[in-house]
């Protein structure tokens, strides 16, 4: 599995925006220069990010972009979803009940790759832009706690709950100050 530049560049741009948009809106040209990303490519990405309400545009002289919510409230998986970057290691379409084989069945390793996709999603869902900025991302540790543990109780775009063991969910809720009773 290889992530395309779409997802990687969108994350880079959002982190840049969070770093530099504190005092004034940031232009895409500034982000393009700092991150060495094509301006026209950034324009396409930011149209999607704006549509998904992750950024807001400020018009006029001195205009540009700002984060729509705080960096600690924006997880990396949201950015991938906004720019339509699939987080999956399977060749199958996740919205289809059929597999990728010619007879529409699933391959013998389907569950392995689907499990990997789920882990990648949970990892990216558990990392906020603030975590990246503050260098709290440990590449050797996988956190199964989403930034908002209540998200684990809401179905994803396929109608599935996150595969989070109940003991871990309770631990995540307690760590975030929620008393599960």
């Amino acid at each position: 599995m290889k992530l395309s530049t779409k997802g990687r560049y969108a994350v880079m741009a959002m982190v840049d925006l969070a770093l530099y948009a504190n005092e004034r809106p940031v232009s895409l040209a500034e982000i393009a220069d700092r991150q060495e990303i094509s301006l026209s490519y950034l324009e396409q990405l930011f149209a999607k990010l704006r549509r998904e309400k992750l950024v807001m545009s400020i018009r006029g002289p001195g205009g540009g972009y700002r984060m729509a919510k705080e960096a600690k409230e924006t997880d990396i998986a949201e950015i991938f979803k906004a720019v339509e970057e699939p987080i999956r290691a399977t060749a199958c379409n996740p919205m289809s009940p059929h597999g990728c084989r010619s007879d529409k069945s699933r391959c013998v390793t389907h569950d392995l790759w689907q499990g990997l996709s789920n882990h990648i999603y949970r990892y990216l869902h558990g990392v906020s832009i603030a975590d990246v900025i503050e260098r709290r991302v440990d590449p050797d540790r996988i956190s199964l706690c989403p930034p908002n543990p209540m998200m684990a109780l809401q179905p994803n775009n396929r109608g599935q709950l996150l595969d989070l063991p109940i003991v871990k969910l309770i631990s995540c809720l307690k760590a975030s100050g929620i008393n599960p009773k």
Side-chain angles (χ1 to χ4, degrees):
M1 180 183 146
K2 184 176 180 182
L3 299 174
S4 75
T5 56
K6 189 173 14 176
R8 290 186 299 116
Y9 284 3
V11 171
M12 290 166 61
M14 289 289 289
V15 170
D16 185 287
L17 187 64
L19 283 168
Y20 292 97
N22 291 328
E23 298 164 15
R24 63 175 181 76
V26 174
S27 74
L28 292 184
E30 293 173 89
I31 297 172
D33 287 342
R34 281 192 294 264
Q35 300 303 323
E36 299 178 356
I37 301 171
S38 157
L39 179 57
S40 61
Y41 198 46
L42 274 180
E43 288 169 345
Q44 294 171 38
L45 293 175
F46 270 70
K48 292 177 180 186
L49 293 168
R50 188 176 59 243
R51 203 173 309 122
E52 294 297 318
K53 299 182 178 20
L54 292 180
V55 298
M56 44 187 191
S57 62
I58 312 298
R59 296 181 188 268
Y65 285 88
R66 288 189 175 275
M67 300 281 294
K69 54 187 180 175
E70 292 186 39
K72 68 181 179 184
E73 296 172 352
T74 306
D75 68 64
I76 305 304
E78 282 182 273
I79 299 168
F80 273 77
K81 181 182 175 205
V83 298
E84 300 163 2
E85 172 77 69
I87 302 172
R88 67 175 207 245
T90 62
C92 303
N93 178 347
M95 303 306 269
S96 170
H98 305 292
C100 57
R101 296 171 41 112
S102 60
D103 66 355
K104 304 290 185 208
S105 67
R106 292 189 169 160
C107 68
V108 68
T109 57
H110 175 83
D111 291 342
L112 170 69
W113 304 125
Q114 185 60 51
L116 176 60
S117 296
N118 292 344
H119 279 288
I120 293 168
Y121 175 80
R122 282 195 307 264
Y123 177 75
L124 295 176
H125 187 61
V127 177
S128 71
I129 291 176
D131 293 330
V132 174
I133 291 169
E134 295 167 17
R135 302 205 183 274
R136 290 189 303 236
V137 180
D138 180 355
D140 297 323
R141 188 183 132 265
I142 296 177
S143 171
L144 295 180
C145 290
N148 175 359
M150 295 303 288
M151 293 292 293
L153 301 175
Q154 298 175 5
N156 63 16
N157 60 359
R158 293 186 308 277
Q160 301 168 327
L161 294 175
L162 287 178
D163 184 19
L164 196 63
I166 191 70
V167 173
K168 183 66 177 174
L169 176 59
I170 291 170
S171 171
C172 292
L173 289 168
K174 286 180 179 176
S176 67
I178 298 170
N179 185 10
K181 288 188 177 185

